[in-house]
Amino acid sequence: MTVQDVDRMSFAEEWERWHRAHEQALADPHGFLAITSLRWLSPDPTRFEDAPGAWSSGPEGVVVELADGEELTIDGTAVHGRYVFGAIAERASLYAGYGDAVIEIAKRGGHDIVRPRHPGNPLRTDFTRTPAYAPAPRWVRPGRYLPFDEPRAITVGAVAEGLEHVYDAPGQVEFELDGETFRLTAFNGKRPGALMVLLTDATSGVTTYAANRSLQIDAPDETGRVTLDFNRATNLPCAYTDLATCPLPPTENRLPVAIEAGEKIPLERGGRP
């Protein structure tokens, strides 16, 4: 066995560990696969079959009115009667316990929503795995971060009809593939200084989910260098459930080339193993 063979094995094993952890987070008892409904709140108090109380959104923000015998747990404290969650920031979420379930209270695209998450939801209990391309070093691409003078507010569409999302984009990421240069608009990532890009490519709707995929990028070094590991391009929640409000990529992030790396169409959406 050559050193190159060992390196390839180590590369694949590291990817397998990463993907296994990603799958475990996806299948968390209160993760996205546990969502049983998506409720758009209005000023009129409304009851839902999979959550306690009557829910509304108005000048006070999100309010729930719990009937006698109904209870939610918020920050470890049981609440009864009328409870005011208040105004919720865009893309923020609050969580209230309800037996073995969790009720997510959030704002998406300027609208207050409630999404109950029940561990027994069949989408979660039947989940096995997400098919993906075999990891290959070819898809680990060096890149360069090109910051904007000031962050730009970028409006993108959403998988939910009529909804829009606005993200601050600190800059773009440039990389080469087969002699061509591409630039992707980047949003802020999960960690300070990190970046995230939403993209589609020539595989979208063929072997990968049609609407979008997401790629996390570590913070640029002092010279602006970054690494784009497309082997770690992941599906967003909307790839698995219609009860999501995922953003669509900016126009410039719709690549004309085939990125044959990362996660494929989920089995739940007709994907192939």
Side-chain angles (χ1 to χ4, degrees):
M1 181 178 291
T2 66
V3 171
Q4 186 178 18
D5 290 334
V6 173
D7 288 345
R8 281 184 172 274
M9 288 178 60
S10 298
F11 178 83
E13 289 169 357
E14 183 180 350
W15 181 90
E16 288 287 353
R17 286 192 295 271
W18 164 81
H19 197 234
R20 191 159 49 246
H22 177 73
E23 297 270 78
Q24 289 172 349
L26 177 66
D28 182 87
H30 298 130
F32 265 94
L33 301 184
I35 293 175
T36 52
S37 68
L38 168 59
R39 311 292 188 171
W40 302 88
L41 302 184
S42 74
D44 299 321
T46 305
R47 297 187 67 86
F48 310 121
E49 62 183 12
D50 51 355
W55 297 81
S56 61
S57 173
E60 295 179 281
V62 176
V63 176
V64 63
E65 300 174 16
L66 298 166
D68 290 344
E70 291 183 326
E71 177 181 288
L72 289 173
T73 303
I74 300 172
D75 294 329
T77 301
V79 299
H80 306 87
R82 189 174 188 270
Y83 186 85
V84 179
F85 289 93
I88 299 174
E90 182 64 33
R91 287 191 293 280
S93 292
L94 304 175
Y95 298 92
Y98 171 49
D100 67 349
V102 162
I103 311 300
E104 178 191 12
I105 306 98
K107 178 165 286 185
R108 298 293 184 267
H111 302 275
D112 289 322
I113 63 172
V114 164
R115 282 191 292 206
R117 300 178 179 223
H118 291 261
N121 188 35
L123 184 62
R124 191 193 81 84
T125 58
D126 293 345
F127 176 74
T128 55
R129 64 186 182 89
T130 301
Y133 284 100
R138 157 177 165 75
W139 297 108
V140 182
R141 310 303 303 174
R144 186 164 62 108
Y145 175 55
L146 305 171
F148 297 139
D149 292 336
E150 297 287 340
R152 300 176 185 177
I154 305 293
T155 300
V156 297
V159 294
E161 186 176 356
L163 197 68
E164 290 184 332
H165 296 281
V166 180
Y167 288 88
D168 284 336
Q172 293 185 316
V173 172
E174 182 180 84
F175 71 99
E176 292 185 3
L177 181 65
D178 295 336
E180 291 189 73
T181 300
F182 302 96
R183 285 187 180 180
L184 300 171
T185 294
F187 302 131
N188 294 314
K190 294 180 179 179
R191 298 180 300 279
L195 303 168
M196 181 272 287
V197 295
L198 301 171
L199 72 147
T200 58
D201 64 274
T203 70
S204 300
V206 182
T207 57
T208 64
Y209 182 58
N212 48 32
R213 285 193 291 167
S214 173
L215 180 64
Q216 297 289 329
I217 303 171
D218 288 340
D221 69 11
E222 63 276 4
T223 66
R225 291 180 301 182
V226 294
T227 298
L228 295 83
D229 186 352
F230 289 104
N231 296 291
R232 302 192 181 196
T234 59
N235 291 321
L236 275 70
C238 53
Y240 302 88
T241 174
D242 293 334
L243 306 176
T245 61
C246 301
L248 300 177
T251 301
E252 62 273 18
N253 287 17
R254 298 170 186 173
L255 299 174
V257 294
I259 304 294
E260 296 177 322
E263 291 189 328
K264 296 182 178 182
I265 298 170
L267 302 176
E268 293 80 2
R269 298 286 198 178
R272 298 180 179 181

